[in-house]
Amino acid sequence: MKKITSILCLLILLIGCGKTKITDAVTVTDANELQTAIKNAKPGDHIVMANGVWKDIQIEFIAEGTKDNPIILKAETPGKVTIEGVSDLKFGGKHLIAEGLHFKNGHAPDDAVVAFRVDKKTIANYCSFKNSVIEDFNKMKRDDSDRWVQFWGQHNTLENCYIAGKTNRGPTVRVDLKGNEHINNYHQIINNHFGPKPSKGGPSGETIQIGDSYSSMSPSYTMVSGNLFEECNGEVEIISSKTNFNEFRNNVFYKSEGSLVTRHGNYCTIDGNYFIGDGVNKNIGGIRIINTGHWVTNNYFYNLIGENFRSPLAVMNGIPKSPLNRYNQVTDVVVAYNTYINSKSPWQFGVGTNIDQKDVLPASEIRSARPLRMLVANNIIYNEKGDNSPIIEHDKADGVTFKSNVINNQNVAFKNYDGLQTADFNIKQLSDNIWVPTEIPTVEAYQGFGFESISKDLFGNSRENTTTIGAVTKTETTAPAILDKSKYGTTWYSNEIEAKDPTIATATTEKGSLQSKIAAAANGDIISLAAGNYTIDASLIINKTITIQSASEKATITFSGNENTPLFELHPKGKLTLENVVLKGNDTQLAFASLQKNMFTHFGLTVKNCDIQNFNYVLKVYKESFAERITFEGTNITNCANGLELSEETNDKGDYNSEYLTVNNCTFDNVQKNVIDYYRGGYDESTIGGNLFLTNSTFTNCGKKEENGILINTRGIINVDISDNTFKNNSVKLVALLWGAKNNSHANNTLVNSGEIRVEQNLKQKLMY
């Protein structure tokens, strides 16, 4: 009787399971077993990759699962399967899931690390890449373009992944829509942690790009929701929406140098997002609007001080009858129920207007079309310190209507706008970075067409039966922990690294001692140089973050290496701080240089209180090399043929070799050419780097062999500050030629027998488009 009862129970259980299949699982240990398992996979199967390193493997996950019985490719232990070398993953079929994988120490063989298609005929639908990591999986050359996740097909998902460190050309994630099988795709990018993405040093460094110029009129319906963007600094556009009907909801942009941009395409919804700055960095942006029909609602902006392209709300001018790849006019956009706390000049209109450049640009590039039929309503602005221009009109905002907006500007006067009124209200802190009014200003919300669809506030509270303005309807409420990283990304990986005190190792002048200390050092360590002379006959390899400094009096490093070889060879991830050291060459070598090729990620260099003598080049940065920061401070440079040379990005695609070049309190004496040569070529109006800060320094008897007759070359660099310097007896026509239309400035410089500093308002640049 018990046996019959057990059989009946089993039958009932099987019937209750409906269509769900009892899972078959197969563990594979190499590429051949994996290929066989995928080939034989049936709906409901699990293919388990054994723990370990899978190197140089191209996975073609081609199979047919079902909605109730997907086929799952997963790690034996999430995070214990690392995919390295020249490797990728391509989906082809339906209802497939890959999870628990870790891509590192390698790069893709072609144009994507993870692609939702195998080829043009074998595409993926209803597939997911989840609970996985891609980090530092860069091509060997910065100009080699790829995507780390490339969407094709329809209804595919990227979820709960951690993705960080992309430095080569191309967006980290891109949605492609070339073909009817890829439009109306309803892809989802949800609950991911997009970790730090260093500046690329030019365009084509977005974190997410949805479509491109030539598919920009296509409907996409891509959802980007619940993601954390942490220090995503690749370029001016963190997200570049280039198709129609995309939604961006409940994302957190934390100290990310860029903006969410409706670059092309129409009818985007941008709702319930957080844009968090630090009140210091002007590169941290908010939302930039181009095109038609967008709704910007329930968003929160805090401590943003960016300007123009990176202002909290930047509304651009368009080009009349714009081609697809340029700037369409802003029309029929609604900006409602948003809150701005301590955000400088939060509303900027006519951004990008360039009518004054008509003499050097073709008519097809002149952005003169102002926004039309734009409504800004029910927003709250609070400034702890009053702002005399909360609204900036780069061009007239005569196509913008303001309704029921309120500002507490601490009684600081500003230009009067109908629909923006002052009110005396306070704010209180709910959690880190989140402040709300202690009481909602008593201004009745404007009820515009379609406003009933704005049914919830920033925190998900209902707006029914309320007439309050701003992003939050209730002053007594609990704020979500938006920076709790456990809410985003994988279940098994964290980018939090416990700080450790550096180890200090002492090198002696004994042959090989310095080299061995560098090789043995870990990231962050310090090498202390005992007094004396160090004779070095081969390049010192810097491939980690390391400090080399004299213990007391300045140690001397004399380099006897071959001609055109560097004393310090800066490799990918090599970040050197050199302090209180004398460097001597034999007139033919380089003091510092990047690798000539395969600079697959960034380097860095800081030189303080050093003496550098008798080198061919003080610094040589080769093409496709990039440093976020290069700093020379308190350093004397004498009798060198060339100085700081960062000018090999001559393809004029908007690229440059360092985001920040700082020279402060230095002396340059008898440097014959390339004294400072820092170049960015091509007319790319959305690139807002590099940055040269040249201050408190002295240049004497330099530039004798400079062919163009300019001592400090900054061609195309957007931000230049040359201040409080002395230029004496430099045989050049110009000390500098500055770009007046950009953020180039000079002040308090002393020029003696050294030509002049000339400002040219509109420099001609090669068009990139």
Side-chain angles (χ1 to χ4, degrees):
M1 184 65 183
K2 289 183 180 179
K3 184 175 181 180
I4 294 173
T5 301
S6 298
I7 293 172
L8 288 172
C9 290
L10 179 59
L11 289 171
I12 291 169
L13 178 62
L14 291 173
I15 293 170
C17 290
K19 298 179 180 179
T20 302
K21 176 185 173 183
I22 297 176
T23 299
D24 290 329
V26 56
T27 299
V28 296
T29 60
D30 59 33
N32 290 332
E33 290 181 1
L34 175 58
Q35 182 179 356
T36 300
I38 292 173
K39 182 178 180 180
N40 295 329
K42 301 295 188 296
D45 285 356
H46 287 195
I47 302 169
V48 180
M49 297 177 68
N51 291 344
V53 176
W54 293 66
K55 190 172 183 180
D56 298 332
I57 182 168
Q58 285 87 58
I59 304 171
E60 294 187 352
F61 190 10
I62 303 173
E64 295 288 331
T66 67
K67 179 180 179 180
D68 296 315
N69 294 292
I71 299 171
I72 299 176
L73 172 66
K74 64 180 183 179
E76 179 182 1
T77 304
K80 298 296 185 182
V81 172
T82 62
I83 299 180
E84 306 183 19
V86 183
S87 300
D88 63 0
L89 167 64
K90 296 179 179 179
F91 291 87
K94 293 181 181 178
H95 298 291
L96 310 175
I97 299 172
E99 60 183 355
L101 308 177
H102 191 170
F103 286 83
K104 67 177 186 177
N105 299 329
H107 61 86
D110 45 39
D111 58 1
V113 179
V114 175
F116 287 97
R117 76 172 187 182
V118 176
D119 52 44
K120 291 183 178 180
K121 294 182 178 180
T122 310
I123 65 175
N125 296 303
Y126 300 98
C127 294
S128 295
F129 182 66
K130 60 191 296 186
N131 199 29
S132 296
V133 169
I134 308 174
E135 61 172 341
D136 299 334
F137 214 69
N138 290 297
K139 294 281 194 179
M140 298 303 292
K141 297 171 63 178
R142 183 170 73 146
D143 286 351
D144 283 353
S145 179
D146 71 348
R147 274 67 60 195
W148 283 5
V149 179
Q150 187 168 21
F151 281 88
W152 299 93
Q154 296 178 332
H155 298 282
N156 296 313
T157 301
L158 172 68
E159 61 179 312
N160 290 104
C161 290
Y162 177 79
I163 301 176
K166 191 174 193 295
T167 56
N168 64 302
R169 182 174 290 274
T172 305
V173 177
R174 189 166 82 180
V175 176
D176 279 286
L177 294 93
K178 296 173 182 176
N180 287 337
E181 65 271 37
H182 308 295
I183 66 173
N184 295 310
N185 53 65
Y186 294 93
H187 297 313
Q188 295 192 73
I189 302 171
I190 55 175
N191 302 328
N192 302 286
H193 182 179
F194 292 98
K197 177 181 174 67
S199 173
K200 178 190 162 291
S204 195
E206 305 93 335
T207 298
I208 297 176
Q209 178 185 327
I210 304 175
D212 60 21
S213 301
Y214 301 104
S215 61
S216 60
M217 293 298 102
S218 299
S220 185
Y221 295 99
T222 293
M223 172 69 77
V224 180
S225 177
N227 303 284
L228 172 61
F229 296 86
E230 179 189 13
E231 297 180 14
C232 291
N233 303 338
E235 61 140 90
V236 70
E237 299 180 11
I238 303 167
I239 295 179
S240 184
S241 180
K242 296 187 174 184
T243 47
N244 294 329
F245 306 113
N246 299 313
E247 297 186 32
F248 306 94
R249 296 185 181 273
N250 309 119
N251 302 287
V252 178
F253 297 84
Y254 180 65
K255 295 184 180 179
S256 290
E257 296 183 357
S259 302
L260 191 169
V261 182
T262 61
R263 181 62 182 86
H264 298 304
N266 307 307
Y267 310 112
C268 288
T269 298
I270 304 175
D271 181 82
N273 303 282
Y274 299 82
F275 298 86
I276 309 297
D278 60 6
V280 177
N281 188 340
K282 291 184 177 182
N283 290 336
I284 299 171
I287 297 171
R288 180 154 56 98
I289 297 295
I290 305 127
N291 282 65
T292 291
H294 311 301
W295 283 64
V296 180
T297 56
N298 291 321
N299 300 289
Y300 175 82
F301 304 81
Y302 177 65
N303 260 2
L304 303 179
I305 62 169
E307 301 170 347
N308 294 300
F309 280 70
R310 301 197 195 197
S311 53
L313 178 72
V315 181
M316 289 199 66
N317 266 16
I319 296 170
K321 298 181 181 179
S322 174
L324 285 174
N325 67 333
R326 303 311 294 128
Y327 288 87
N328 281 303
Q329 187 175 23
V330 173
T331 64
D332 305 296
V333 167
V334 173
V335 177
Y337 294 109
N338 303 285
T339 293
Y340 302 82
I341 304 293
N342 292 334
S343 292
K344 181 182 176 183
S345 302
W347 300 341
Q348 300 196 20
F349 300 96
V351 170
T353 183
N354 60 353
I355 299 170
D356 60 348
Q357 294 179 274
K358 62 182 183 298
D359 294 336
V360 297
L361 294 174
S364 61
E365 284 294 322
I366 301 301
R367 295 184 292 275
S368 60
R370 300 193 290 267
L372 289 177
R373 301 184 301 276
M374 181 173 184
L375 176 62
V376 179
N378 305 338
N379 302 284
I380 288 177
I381 301 172
Y382 179 91
N383 293 317
E384 183 178 4
K385 181 180 179 181
D387 185 349
N388 58 17
S389 55
I391 298 175
I392 292 180
E393 295 179 75
H394 300 274
D395 197 353
K396 292 181 180 179
D398 50 5
V400 181
T401 300
F402 300 92
K403 295 286 187 181
S404 299
N405 302 287
V406 167
I407 180 172
N408 183 341
N409 205 39
Q410 309 300 337
N411 297 315
V412 173
F414 60 92
K415 179 181 175 181
N416 181 59
Y417 289 86
D418 290 339
L420 175 60
Q421 67 184 71
T422 59
D424 185 14
F425 61 92
N426 295 314
I427 60 173
K428 64 179 180 181
Q429 187 171 16
L430 292 184
S431 63
D432 288 345
N433 303 298
I434 299 180
W435 297 72
V436 298
T438 54
E439 57 183 28
I440 303 297
T442 55
V443 173
E444 185 171 344
Y446 174 76
Q447 296 301 314
F449 176 80
F451 275 38
E452 67 279 0
S453 66
I454 311 173
S455 60
K456 294 184 178 181
D457 73 357
L458 175 68
F459 298 155
N461 299 314
S462 174
R463 288 194 178 274
E464 189 176 359
N465 299 322
T466 69
T467 58
T468 55
I469 65 174
V472 178
T473 60
K474 299 178 180 179
T475 60
E476 299 301 325
T477 188
T478 301
I482 60 171
L483 294 180
D484 178 0
K485 294 183 181 180
S486 67
K487 296 170 58 176
Y488 314 95
T490 71
T491 59
W492 51 268
Y493 181 91
S494 172
N495 71 340
E496 295 291 329
I497 300 174
E498 185 176 351
K500 74 175 188 67
D501 293 331
T503 297
I504 300 176
T506 299
T508 68
T509 58
E510 182 181 353
K511 184 176 179 61
S513 173
L514 177 55
Q515 293 91 324
S516 66
K517 298 299 182 184
I518 292 173
N523 270 322
D525 284 354
I526 296 171
I527 296 176
S528 179
L529 302 180
N533 183 57
Y534 295 72
T535 300
I536 304 297
D537 58 10
S539 296
L540 299 173
I541 305 303
I542 305 299
N543 56 11
K544 64 196 76 172
T545 298
I546 192 171
T547 296
I548 300 174
Q549 61 189 29
S550 296
S552 53
E553 64 181 274
K554 284 185 179 179
T556 298
I557 301 177
T558 302
F559 187 42
S560 61
N562 293 334
E563 180 178 351
N564 292 323
T565 60
L567 169 54
F568 291 98
E569 188 174 76
L570 300 162
H571 285 224
K573 301 185 180 181
K575 296 183 178 180
L576 171 65
T577 296
L578 185 72
E579 190 165 0
N580 202 36
V581 178
V582 177
L583 305 182
K584 293 183 177 181
N586 65 7
D587 299 321
T588 68
Q589 318 113 320
L590 294 67
F592 309 92
S594 64
L595 287 179
Q596 295 190 40
K597 59 182 180 179
N598 295 335
M599 287 294 291
F600 60 86
T601 196
H602 297 350
F603 72 96
L605 177 64
T606 298
V607 180
K608 292 184 176 181
N609 302 320
C610 292
D611 298 306
I612 303 173
Q613 308 165 11
N614 300 105
F615 285 91
N616 184 10
Y617 282 86
V618 176
L619 170 65
K620 177 72 170 176
V621 181
Y622 289 100
K623 183 174 174 57
E624 298 185 271
S625 300
F626 187 77
E628 288 187 75
R629 294 184 182 274
I630 294 175
T631 300
F632 284 78
E633 187 168 352
T635 291
N636 304 311
I637 296 171
T638 308
N639 297 330
C640 293
N642 297 270
L644 314 181
E645 203 265 333
L646 305 89
S647 61
E648 292 209 355
E649 298 298 346
T650 55
N651 56 2
D652 291 346
K653 296 293 186 182
D655 294 323
Y656 45 98
N657 290 122
S658 180
E659 192 65 32
Y660 294 95
L661 174 60
T662 300
V663 179
N664 179 52
N665 195 30
C666 293
T667 65
F668 293 75
D669 186 8
N670 192 31
V671 179
Q672 297 181 25
K673 61 179 180 177
N674 294 313
V675 180
I676 296 177
D677 196 353
Y678 186 20
Y679 182 88
R680 186 202 68 86
Y683 174 72
D684 176 35
E685 72 290 333
S686 64
T687 296
I688 61 174
N691 300 268
L692 172 64
F693 304 104
L694 174 57
T695 54
N696 304 305
S697 296
T698 300
F699 298 79
T700 307
N701 297 321
C702 293
K704 298 175 184 177
K705 295 186 178 180
E706 186 58 68
E707 295 178 1
N708 67 6
I710 303 175
L711 188 71
I712 309 299
N713 285 278
T714 61
R715 180 76 181 185
I717 300 300
I718 304 300
N719 303 298
V720 176
D721 177 16
I722 301 177
S723 299
D724 301 305
N725 304 287
T726 298
F727 300 92
K728 186 176 180 180
N729 297 331
N730 301 290
S731 55
V732 292
K733 295 179 180 178
L734 298 175
V735 167
L737 176 60
L738 301 183
W739 194 355
K742 299 298 182 180
N743 189 30
N744 285 201
S745 64
H746 66 100
N748 303 321
N749 297 290
T750 300
L751 286 76
V752 178
N753 193 28
S754 297
E756 63 175 331
I757 297 177
R758 182 181 299 168
V759 178
E760 188 170 313
Q761 188 64 22
N762 294 309
L763 293 179
K764 291 184 178 180
Q765 293 278 313
K766 180 179 178 181
L767 290 178
M768 294 169 53
Y769 305 101

